[in-house]
């Protein structure tokens, strides 16, 4: 996965792959990790302008058969290593692995579970035209809000069945699927587990879902805000922390009540979400999702069974006590999103940070602890946060920030239909 979470790599004969795995000589240009969402290489002094190669080492636990290939074809996720033998700190998968290792040094392990949303639409080819609502089996466009609708799911049974079939072949463990509020909007849950395994699962799900939709003549999008006046696509990440030796949940004490560590973890999330927000909301479009009373948080307040806050504590038994981060968008790179939310919590534990008081009313009424309103503000927060260098490689932070700023500048060079409609003839 590149910085955006898109799949990058090579295709070759099985024999070549097997030999290169033995010889450890499968190579790719390091500049692949300095590509923006358009695939353009952004020149930063983090990556050499000479574009040297790095070595790819296959994680053979991830090898799977591709169900949509006409000939027997496998796919495998790789890690990148520099010639020194050190794993590259520029890859999003390694960023997550580094955070996992930092938890392990404290005898802790994380368990996470993502639930994320996406829209289905008719095939979309023209970027100047809005998404067309998907047509149901009757031929009519889906209309109204079908939140948790059961019968509407049968209208998409062929596509849903194809997604589940592909998921089984790729060992992607889907939990449940529901219809959300938007027209053609769905939510899918990935089974909880080790953060790296879950990130791999999410990465593969996006690939298989796009393929299945295309085969059924539909477009699927994880864009944070693909439709005006409709809810955006989130990726809520539930997270629990356990002691490795005892297996006890860090978030509860011996009596099963909320522990001080839970509050420290929440305190870390509250303090550092504004700094890691570019990893949760990586594009200008991402910030259009944060609208009051539209199923998305606008603050970093926390609360129990409160879906208006950014950080929710769901009802559960003691062993499953967890924090749900509701800030993250479905457009986020899953490796970076999981790494960043765990990193915030880890900083809270390391520095024993205290959270705000619990929000017991609607957080949409609050005017405190507001999320940054745009990408530039979030990037500025990330750049000035010295604490992030305690948990992230400074080299990676510089590269990622540079990529996001380059994408912002490219957007500012684009004249939008809004400007032509409202400004062209009137200012």
């Amino acid at each position: 996965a590149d910085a955006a979470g898109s799949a990058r790599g090579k295709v070759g004969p099985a024999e070549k792959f097997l030999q290169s795995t033995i010889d450890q000589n499968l190579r790719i240009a390091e500049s692949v990790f300095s590509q923006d969402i358009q695939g353009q290489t952004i020149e930063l002094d983090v990556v050499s302008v000479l574009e040297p190669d790095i070595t790819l080492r296959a994680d053979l636990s991830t090898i799977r058969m591709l169900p949509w290939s006409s000939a027997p074809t496998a796919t495998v996720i790789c890690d990148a290593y520099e010639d020194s033998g050190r794993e590259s700190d520029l890859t999003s998968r390694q960023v997550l692995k580094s955070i996992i290792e930092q938890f392990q040094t404290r005898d802790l392990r994380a368990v996470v579970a993502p639930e994320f949303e996406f829209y289905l639409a008719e095939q979309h080819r023209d970027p100047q035209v809005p998404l067309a609502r998907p047509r149901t089996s009757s031929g009519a466009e889906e209309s109204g809000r079908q939140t948790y609708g059961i019968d509407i799911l049968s209208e998409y049974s062929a596509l849903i069945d194809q997604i589940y079939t592909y998921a089984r072949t790729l060992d992607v463990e889907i939990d449940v699927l529901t219809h959300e509020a938007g027209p053609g909007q769905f939510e899918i849950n990935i089974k909880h587990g080790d953060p790296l395994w879950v990130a791999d699962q999410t990465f593969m799900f996006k690939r298989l879902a796009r393929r299945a939709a295309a085969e059924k003549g539909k477009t699927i999008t994880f864009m944070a805000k693909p439709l005006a006046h409709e809810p955006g696509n989130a990726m809520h990440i539930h997270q629990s922390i356990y002691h490795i030796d005892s297996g006890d949940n860090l978030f509860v004490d011996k009596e099963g009540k909320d522990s001080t560590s839970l509050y420290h973890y929440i305190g870390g999330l509250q303090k550092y979400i504004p700094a890691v927000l570019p990893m949760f909301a990586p594009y200008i479009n991402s910030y259009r999702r944060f609208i009051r009373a539209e199923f998305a948080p606008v603050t970093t307040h926390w609360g129990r069974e409160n879906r208006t806050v950014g950080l929710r504590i769901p009802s559960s038994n003691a062993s499953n006590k967890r924090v749900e981060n509701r800030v993250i968008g479905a457009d986020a790179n899953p490796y970076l999103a999981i790494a960043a939310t765990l990193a915030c919590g880890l900083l809270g534990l390391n520095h024993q940070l205290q959270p705000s008081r619990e929000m017991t009313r609607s957080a949409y009424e609050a005017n405190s602890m507001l999320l940054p309103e745009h990408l530039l503000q979030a990037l500025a927060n990330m750049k000035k946060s010295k604490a992030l260098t305690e948990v992230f490689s400074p080299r990676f932070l510089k590269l990622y920030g540079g990529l996001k700023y380059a994408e912002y500048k490219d957007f500012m060079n684009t004249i939008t239909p809004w400007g032509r409609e409202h400004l062209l003839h009137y200012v």
Side-chain angles (χ1 to χ4, degrees):
D2 65 6
S6 300
R8 305 285 181 181
K10 296 184 175 183
V11 177
E15 296 80 6
K16 172 78 172 179
F17 166 75
L18 292 172
Q19 191 61 50
S20 66
T21 300
I22 295 170
D23 298 336
Q24 293 190 356
N25 62 2
L26 183 60
R27 310 274 283 177
I28 199 168
E30 186 182 48
S31 60
V32 72
F33 301 115
S34 61
Q35 290 181 351
D36 65 10
I37 190 62
Q38 300 179 80
Q40 296 181 9
T41 300
I42 306 302
E43 292 191 6
L44 300 163
D45 58 8
V46 177
V47 176
S48 171
V49 295
L50 302 180
E51 297 198 39
D53 276 352
I54 52 176
T55 301
L56 297 180
R57 297 184 190 175
D59 181 345
L60 296 179
S61 69
T62 68
I63 197 164
R64 303 285 188 273
M65 296 301 294
L66 285 178
W68 53 79
S69 180
S70 58
T73 305
T75 183
V76 66
I77 298 173
C78 296
D79 291 308
Y81 286 78
E82 298 174 352
D83 287 341
S84 64
R86 185 187 72 168
E87 195 161 0
S88 173
D89 58 355
L90 300 182
T91 71
S92 57
R93 196 170 191 259
Q94 171 55 22
V95 170
L96 176 55
K97 290 171 71 175
S98 174
I99 299 297
I100 293 171
E101 290 167 1
Q102 291 176 59
F103 272 91
Q104 290 172 344
T105 62
R106 293 183 54 123
D107 186 40
L108 298 174
R109 66 178 182 89
V111 172
V112 300
E115 48 188 40
F116 49 95
E117 295 153 333
F118 56 87
Y119 273 90
L120 289 178
E122 292 304 297
Q123 282 192 337
H124 191 262
R125 299 183 178 89
D126 186 351
Q128 302 299 321
V129 176
L131 283 178
R133 295 186 178 209
R135 294 188 179 278
T136 63
S137 57
S138 68
E141 289 185 348
E142 184 183 323
S143 61
R145 295 204 164 180
Q146 302 283 347
T147 311
Y148 296 124
I150 292 295
D151 292 334
I152 191 66
L153 294 177
S154 64
E155 299 285 352
Y156 304 100
S157 59
L159 174 54
I160 292 172
D161 289 347
Q162 186 77 307
I163 287 174
Y164 273 93
T165 297
Y166 282 173
R168 282 193 295 271
T169 304
L170 289 164
D171 287 337
V172 174
E173 297 192 27
I174 297 174
D175 195 350
V176 296
L177 182 144
T178 57
H179 197 292
E180 285 294 320
Q185 187 185 33
F186 297 84
E187 179 184 278
I188 196 85
N189 295 357
I190 300 292
K191 186 178 178 182
H192 65 274
D194 169 77
L196 186 63
W197 177 84
V198 168
D200 288 341
Q201 294 264 300
T202 307
F203 174 57
M204 288 302 300
F205 177 82
K206 286 188 172 184
R207 290 184 65 192
L208 72 89
R210 290 191 185 100
R211 185 73 187 208
E215 291 179 358
K216 299 299 181 181
K218 304 290 185 184
T219 290
I220 192 169
T221 181
F222 300 91
M223 186 177 175
K225 187 72 170 180
L227 292 172
H229 313 299
E230 296 291 350
N233 288 326
M235 180 164 62
H236 302 160
I237 294 181
H238 295 250
Q239 51 218 279
S240 300
I241 309 297
Y242 295 88
H243 292 282
I244 293 176
D245 288 342
S246 67
D248 294 335
N249 190 323
L250 182 70
F251 292 161
V252 294
D253 60 20
K254 293 181 179 180
E255 286 73 41
K257 298 179 180 179
D258 293 348
S259 68
T260 56
S261 292
L262 170 64
Y263 296 123
H264 293 159
Y265 194 92
I266 295 171
L269 285 163
Q270 288 187 316
K271 182 170 184 177
Y272 293 110
I273 279 178
V276 301
L277 196 58
M279 300 184 212
F280 294 162
Y283 308 103
I284 291 176
N285 174 268
S286 307
Y287 296 78
R288 293 174 175 153
R289 184 174 69 89
F290 301 131
I291 299 175
R292 293 178 188 267
E294 272 295 342
F295 308 103
V298 295
T299 72
T300 57
H301 281 290
W302 74 278
R304 296 177 177 86
E305 281 301 332
N306 186 341
R307 283 186 166 85
T308 69
V309 297
L311 302 167
R312 170 176 171 257
I313 310 300
S315 296
S316 69
N317 57 33
S319 64
N320 291 318
K321 178 72 72 172
R322 62 193 184 274
V323 179
E324 177 191 9
N325 185 338
R326 299 174 59 81
V327 174
I328 306 166
D331 55 345
N333 178 328
Y335 297 101
L336 297 184
I338 295 173
T341 193
L342 293 177
C344 291
L346 181 61
L347 285 170
L349 295 173
N350 290 345
H351 297 285
Q352 298 185 347
L353 300 179
Q354 295 299 322
S356 65
R357 291 184 179 181
E358 179 185 358
M359 177 62 68
T360 57
R361 56 188 174 87
S362 172
Y364 294 133
E365 301 171 5
N367 290 313
S368 60
M369 305 181 69
L370 297 173
L371 293 170
E373 293 185 347
H374 53 78
L375 179 60
L376 272 190
Q377 184 182 354
L379 286 172
N381 290 342
M382 188 172 74
K383 187 174 183 179
K384 71 182 181 183
S385 176
K386 295 181 180 179
L388 292 190
T389 60
E390 297 177 26
V391 287
F392 292 108
S393 156
R395 188 166 171 249
F396 163 75
L397 290 173
K398 186 175 183 179
L399 173 67
Y400 189 77
L403 287 174
K404 295 295 108 182
Y405 185 66
E407 290 168 354
Y408 167 82
K409 289 195 297 184
D410 185 73
F411 180 88
M412 295 304 291
N413 284 325
T414 303
I415 309 304
T416 66
W418 188 96
R420 288 190 291 270
E421 178 179 354
H422 298 287
L423 305 178
L424 194 68
H425 298 291
Y426 304 108
V427 296

